[in-house]
């Protein structure tokens, strides 16, 4: 395998609204002095789509010194390549949750006796994919009477939703169960305009599509029909008591064993849904530090807005244009 791919152009995009959030596109020259970069019929070529993966790291150098900083972006599974017949090879890859999505369960499986959210999440992963768990998450038992059908990624998402947790991948390609985000963002990054700032535009987008303001979470386990929680958005223009009306999402899982767990799942699901509903679509200089779920402060014309990164479009090389960071804010 090749240690380094000669990237001419490239972008990494990600969105919390997608089952597999990350996507990578690269353009590389057909030939370099020691390599033909068209995979052709060679299944072991570094850019072939037979399980090959690309690790993406961005190196940023100082314009006034020799200092450099490396930021590892992630690990990506190659899915496609194309030769334009003009000396360019285009490669497409996705985040490693694609391996989970592709690896259907045959047959359906049940939790083992004594199985927990952690142990069953590990068991549901396909061979070669590992998991890491936020220390703030509290493990608990899975009911042995349930089963997961063919959707391996759906099963992991169900575990995350019921925990509650966020299902992501980390920069090393591990499946990452993250603790829910805090109710109030504590910025780890500031994106600003003005003197020494890099922001050039901050348009907004807002949508009613799939923007529910009530979540009903209930247990689907036999004998647990009374385990249910209803969580409403109580403030702001999306309040269930206001003119927006009530838009309800009903979600059930046998992993909800108590009203407390149903309430926690419903609250997190509601918060996760409302973040992308109203979005600041920031155009700025590329900054590889920005990642999904980061709390950020956006300073525009003297006004500061706080929110969370719900998506980004990051160029990989100089000359690939500006970066877009989508920041979800409270409606």
């Amino acid at each position: 395998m090749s240690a380094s791919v000669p990237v001419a152009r490239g972008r990494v995009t990600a969105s919390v609204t997608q089952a597999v959030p990350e996507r990578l596109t690269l353009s590389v020259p057909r030939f370099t002095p020691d390599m033909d970069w068209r995979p052709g019929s060679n299944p072991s070529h570094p850019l072939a789509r037979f399980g090959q993966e690309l690790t993406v790291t961005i190196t940023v150098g100082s314009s006034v010194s020799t200092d450099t900083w490396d930021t590892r972006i992630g690990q990506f599974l190659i899915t496609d390549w194309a030769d334009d017949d003009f000396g360019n090879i285009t490669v497409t890859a996705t985040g490693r949750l694609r391996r989970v999505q592709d690896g259907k369960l045959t047959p359906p499986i049940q939790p083992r006796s004594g199985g927990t959210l952690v142990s069953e999440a590990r068991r549901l992963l396909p061979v070669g994919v590992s998991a890491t768990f936020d220390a703030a998450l509290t493990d608990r038992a899975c009911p042995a009477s349930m089963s997961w059908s063919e959707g391996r990624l759906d099963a992991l998402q169900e575990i995350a939703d019921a925990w509650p947790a966020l299902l992501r991948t980390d920069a090393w390609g591990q499946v990452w169960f993250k603790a829910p985000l805090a109710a109030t963002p504590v910025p780890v990054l500031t994106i600003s305009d003005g003197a020494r700032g890099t922001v050039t535009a901050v348009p907004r987008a807002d949508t009613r599509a799939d923007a529910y303001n009530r979540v009903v979470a209930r247990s689907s386990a036999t004998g647990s029909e009374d385990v249910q929680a209803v969580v409403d958005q109580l403030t702001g223009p999306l309040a269930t008591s206001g003119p927006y009306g009530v838009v309800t999402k009903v979600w059930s899982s046998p992993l909800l064993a108590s009203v407390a767990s149903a309430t926690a799942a419903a609250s997190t699901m509601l918060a996760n849904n409302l973040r992308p509903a109203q979005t600041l679509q920031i155009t700025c200089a590329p900054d590889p530090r920005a990642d999904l779920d980061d709390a950020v402060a956006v300073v525009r014309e003297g006004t500061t807005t706080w929110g969370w990164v719900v998506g980004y479009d990051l160029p990989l090389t100089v000359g690939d244009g500006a970066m877009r960071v989508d920041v979800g804010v409270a409606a």
Side-chain angles (χ1 to χ4, degrees), residues 34-106:
D34 58 348
M35 188 71 175
D36 180 352
W37 289 100
R38 183 175 70 178
S41 58
N42 179 5
S44 62
H45 190 283
L47 298 184
R49 46 100 178 165
F50 298 104
Q52 283 85 333
E53 294 183 347
L54 297 172
T55 298
V56 177
T57 299
I58 291 182
T59 300
V60 178
S62 171
S63 60
V64 296
S65 72
T66 59
D67 293 338
T68 60
W69 299 267
D70 290 338
T71 301
R72 185 172 173 127
I73 303 301
Q75 199 162 325
F76 299 83
L77 175 68
I78 295 176
T79 58
D80 306 88
W81 64 268
D83 179 1
D84 68 1
D85 205 30
F86 292 98
N88 302 297
I89 307 297
T90 301
V91 179
T92 303
T94 61
R96 294 193 88 219
L97 281 177
R98 176 64 181 266
R99 287 193 178 273
V100 181
Q101 187 180 61
D102 288 347
K104 305 297 184 184
L105 295 169
T106 55

Side-chain angles (χ1 to χ4, degrees), residues 134-159:
D134 196 306
L137 297 175
T138 302
D139 198 12
R140 65 173 186 267
C142 292
S145 58
M146 68 173 292
S147 66
W148 289 288
S149 57
E150 65 179 22
R152 194 185 297 264
L153 182 55
D154 293 337
L156 290 177
Q157 187 62 65
E158 181 181 19
I159 289 175

Side-chain angles (χ1 to χ4, degrees), residues 237-260:
L238 294 181
T240 52
S241 59
Y244 185 81
V246 177
V247 182
T248 304
K249 177 182 176 66
V250 178
W251 182 77
S252 62
S253 170
L255 294 172
L256 300 177
S258 66
V259 173

Side-chain angles (χ1 to χ4, degrees), residues 8-306:
R9 296 184 306 278
R11 305 190 81 87
V12 174
T13 61
S15 173
V16 299
T17 63
Q18 298 173 353
V20 181
E22 306 88 4
R23 179 181 173 90
L24 167 70
T25 56
L26 296 177
S27 178
V28 303
R30 167 73 191 275
F31 296 105
T32 56
D34 58 348
M35 188 71 175
D36 180 352
W37 289 100
R38 183 175 70 178
S41 58
N42 179 5
S44 62
H45 190 283
L47 298 184
R49 46 100 178 165
F50 298 104
Q52 283 85 333
E53 294 183 347
L54 297 172
T55 298
V56 177
T57 299
I58 291 182
T59 300
V60 178
S62 171
S63 60
V64 296
S65 72
T66 59
D67 293 338
T68 60
W69 299 267
D70 290 338
T71 301
R72 185 172 173 127
I73 303 301
Q75 199 162 325
F76 299 83
L77 175 68
I78 295 176
T79 58
D80 306 88
W81 64 268
D83 179 1
D84 68 1
D85 205 30
F86 292 98
N88 302 297
I89 307 297
T90 301
V91 179
T92 303
T94 61
R96 294 193 88 219
L97 281 177
R98 176 64 181 266
R99 287 193 178 273
V100 181
Q101 187 180 61
D102 288 347
K104 305 297 184 184
L105 295 169
T106 55
I109 65 172
Q110 292 180 288
R112 291 174 175 171
S113 176
T116 67
L117 297 180
V118 169
S119 68
E120 295 309 303
R122 291 191 190 278
R123 192 161 71 97
L124 284 165
L125 291 170
V127 174
V129 180
S130 60
T132 183
F133 301 87
D134 196 306
L137 297 175
T138 302
D139 198 12
R140 65 173 186 267
C142 292
S145 58
M146 68 173 292
S147 66
W148 289 288
S149 57
E150 65 179 22
R152 194 185 297 264
L153 182 55
D154 293 337
L156 290 177
Q157 187 62 65
E158 181 181 19
I159 289 175
D161 287 339
W163 209 322
L166 298 172
L167 183 61
R168 302 285 188 258
T169 52
D170 66 10
W172 302 94
Q174 297 182 105
V175 173
W176 185 11
F177 288 84
K178 297 176 63 176
L181 302 183
T184 302
V186 178
V188 297
L189 185 65
T190 298
I191 309 174
S192 63
D193 62 0
R196 304 186 69 179
T198 65
V199 172
T200 59
V202 187
R204 285 181 179 254
D206 204 354
T207 180
R208 185 182 174 92
D210 299 321
Y212 47 81
N213 57 0
R214 170 176 290 170
V215 177
V216 180
R218 59 173 67 111
S219 175
S220 57
T222 302
S224 299
E225 291 79 5
D226 58 340
V227 175
Q228 174 175 293
V230 180
V231 175
D232 287 357
Q233 176 66 20
L234 300 177
T235 60
L238 294 181
T240 52
S241 59
Y244 185 81
V246 177
V247 182
T248 304
K249 177 182 176 66
V250 178
W251 182 77
S252 62
S253 170
L255 294 172
L256 300 177
S258 66
V259 173
S261 63
T263 301
S267 299
T268 299
M269 197 172 295
L270 180 62
N272 291 345
N273 170 262
L274 293 180
R275 286 189 197 101
Q278 185 174 123
T279 305
L280 303 179
Q281 299 175 329
I282 301 164
T283 301
C284 60
D287 189 338
R289 296 174 299 170
D291 200 2
L292 294 181
D293 308 315
D294 280 351
V296 298
V298 181
V299 180
R300 177 66 166 166
E301 297 178 346
T303 300
T304 301
T305 305
W306 291 268

